[in-house]
Amino acid sequence: DRLPPGAAAWLAPWRRQLEARSDAHARSRWWALFRTTSARGDRCRVVWSDIGKVPRALVLPAGDPSVPLNSCYAVRAPTGEDALAFCALLNSPLAAAWLAAIAEPARGGYRRFLGWTLARFPVPADWPRAVGLLAPFARAALDGAPPDAATLADAAVRAYRVRRTDVAPLLTWCLR
């Protein structure tokens, strides 16, 4: 209910700024922390930066105490295999092309891969099959042998059960 006296004294110089946080939503406790789910390390997390020319994702394994910066987004995965597969999918040229079509543009050819952007990113309908196809590529990358872009693109195309010719215009237009 109350900050300990030492913490209150230490935070006092920043109280006005903390109270003015736009996403604090008039919380009764000006010192409250929020949006901390990405810091929870009890499950695997897939983390990506919010700005880039293409999405760049990595897996933080369960138990990893790392806390992603506020310029990153994270999603907690049900299993380690799910995290590996989603990471591989996000790092694929197919995901880069699809997300480039909807991501907010930034200067210099960069894009914003915000939470709302990724929330609209479709995952393959047969997710268990996709996990089997994609997770090995992320595991190989963790072992120092990342797949080349063409191999990862082919795996993503197979995961969605589409033909390469079906997505060629998307890849060509959005990754030029």
Side-chain angles (χ1 to χ4, degrees):
D1 290 334
R2 264 180 251 152
L3 275 175
W10 190 81
L11 288 172
W14 296 283
R15 182 174 181 154
R16 188 174 311 189
Q17 291 164 297
L18 291 169
E19 288 175 331
R21 294 178 288 178
S22 62
D23 49 359
H25 303 294
R27 295 178 190 266
S28 60
R29 297 183 180 118
W30 58 268
W31 67 87
L33 296 175
F34 43 92
R35 289 195 277 162
T36 58
T37 304
S38 65
R40 290 182 53 196
D42 58 324
R43 294 196 333 213
C44 290
R45 295 165 286 165
V46 178
V47 180
W48 67 92
S49 60
D50 73 346
I51 190 163
K53 294 200 176 200
V54 295
R56 292 174 304 158
L58 64 83
V59 173
L60 293 176
D64 187 315
S66 300
V67 177
L69 295 173
N70 64 350
S71 60
C72 295
Y73 286 86
V75 64
R76 292 162 32 90
T79 70
E81 291 298 296
D82 288 312
L84 290 169
F86 189 59
C87 182
L89 186 60
L90 283 183
N91 286 324
S92 74
L94 185 56
W98 197 92
L99 290 167
I102 66 165
E104 293 178 15
R107 288 197 297 182
Y110 288 84
R111 292 185 173 82
R112 303 288 312 271
F113 301 109
L114 305 169
W116 74 262
T117 311
L118 269 286
R120 284 160 181 76
F121 179 63
V123 294
D126 186 351
W127 182 247
R129 179 179 175 275
V131 169
L133 289 169
L134 296 166
F137 292 106
R139 193 173 301 100
L142 287 173
D143 292 337
D148 60 69
T151 301
L152 198 51
D154 288 341
V157 166
R158 285 195 324 275
Y160 283 103
R161 293 185 188 261
V162 296
R163 294 182 307 251
R164 183 78 179 221
T165 56
D166 294 334
V167 296
L170 176 71
L171 291 165
T172 301
W173 181 257
C174 293
L175 296 180
R176 53 188 160 108

